[in-house]
Amino acid sequence: MKKTTQYLAMSLLLMAWSNLSQAQRRNTPANTTTTTTKSAAPNRAPSTKPKKEVDEENFNSIFSVGITTNTNSGLLGGFMVRKEIVIDNGAARRQMHYFNVELVNVDNYQESTLHAGGNGSGYAYGKKNYLFALRPQYGREISLFRKSSDGGINVNGFIAAGPTLGFLKPYYVDVYYGRGYLVSEPYDPNVHSINNIAGSGGFFKGFGNMKFTPGINIKAGLNFELDAFRQSNISLEVGFLADIYSKKVEIMALSDNQSVFTSGYLTIFFGGKK
């Protein structure tokens, strides 16, 4: 009886161990799968969004200085300082605020150069005053064509306007007064003629005797930004400008004077972007 009981107990233990082993074997694949799934998750390649490319045209402002020539001046007409501020860089046609200050010399179209004695010093016969125009301007600039990523030229169109501050400086001539006595004095048509003028009296004389004449100006044109270094800016500006003064400006003593001056101009700018 005792042996029978021991046998039954051993049988029950073996059956229980067998059932436990089978249960463990059934659970092992599921646990392995779960573990594998969990461990595989960190190794999965993370989803990446396309990075936004850095555009070298994405700037906020351009500051430039320039030299200009125009149809109412000589080869060197004057100087300009320009500031362009971007309104919206992401617009299909980028727009900018256009701030410009220029100082230029304005000639009368009837001016001509004579030479004393036929081959001596040159002077503008009949010229009574220099006219210097200081023009602060504000306008709007819009992109017409933008260069590709491979390079090229940006083309912008603009229109600007502002006051014109006209300054008249007396034109000096050197005059003979007998026995080689030479005097530099403001040109006076009642006193000076081709018989006693020896040449121009010098540009820097008479700045203390300047007179002021106010006016307004308007201009329009195109700006061609040449392909250059990323942070630099080299551009050509071509356009048309009109000055309207409050009265006739006396540049010439022996010719008709005017209150409206129109000109075409060309300016080369050197600057940088920020």
Side-chain angles (χ1 to χ4, degrees), residues 36 65 78 85 141 182 190 231 241 249 273-274:
T36 303
V65 294
I85 300 176
E141 185 172 345
L182 197 65
N190 299 316
Q231 298 300 324
L241 183 139
V249 180
K273 300 176 181 177
K274 290 184 179 181

Side-chain angles (χ1 to χ4, degrees), residues 18-34:
S18 176
N19 290 334
L20 180 61
S21 299
Q22 290 179 5
Q24 287 178 345
R25 285 195 297 268
R26 285 196 299 267
N27 293 334
T28 299
N31 293 337
T32 303
T33 303
T34 304

Side-chain angles (χ1 to χ4, degrees), residues 201-257:
F203 175 79
F204 295 99
K205 295 179 180 179
F207 277 98
N209 299 319
M210 289 195 301
K211 297 180 181 178
F212 171 69
T213 301
I216 59 174
N217 69 80
I218 184 170
K219 74 174 183 180
L222 297 173
N223 181 272
F224 300 88
E225 183 185 332
L226 307 181
D227 192 15
F229 297 105
R230 181 171 296 182
Q231 298 300 324
S232 67
N233 176 263
I234 302 176
S235 62
L236 292 175
E237 184 175 294
V238 294
F240 174 83
L241 183 139
D243 278 316
I244 305 172
Y245 291 94
S246 58
K247 61 181 180 180
K248 288 186 176 182
V249 180
E250 190 178 18
I251 297 177
M252 304 296 293
L254 304 175
S255 303
D256 291 335
N257 291 291

Side-chain angles (χ1 to χ4, degrees), residues 66 68-70 79-84 98-104 135-141 157-164 216-223 236-244 261-267 269:
T68 184
T69 183
N70 60 76
F79 304 92
M80 295 189 185
V81 178
R82 183 185 66 183
K83 178 82 169 183
E84 299 156 282
Y98 179 100
F99 299 94
N100 189 74
V101 178
E102 54 190 65
L103 178 63
V104 299
R135 306 182 184 118
Q137 297 164 334
Y138 168 76
R140 296 292 286 271
E141 185 172 345
F158 66 89
I159 185 169
T164 298
I216 59 174
N217 69 80
I218 184 170
K219 74 174 183 180
L222 297 173
N223 181 272
L236 292 175
E237 184 175 294
V238 294
F240 174 83
L241 183 139
D243 278 316
I244 305 172
F261 293 81
T262 58
S263 65
Y265 71 91
L266 169 66
T267 306
F269 284 101

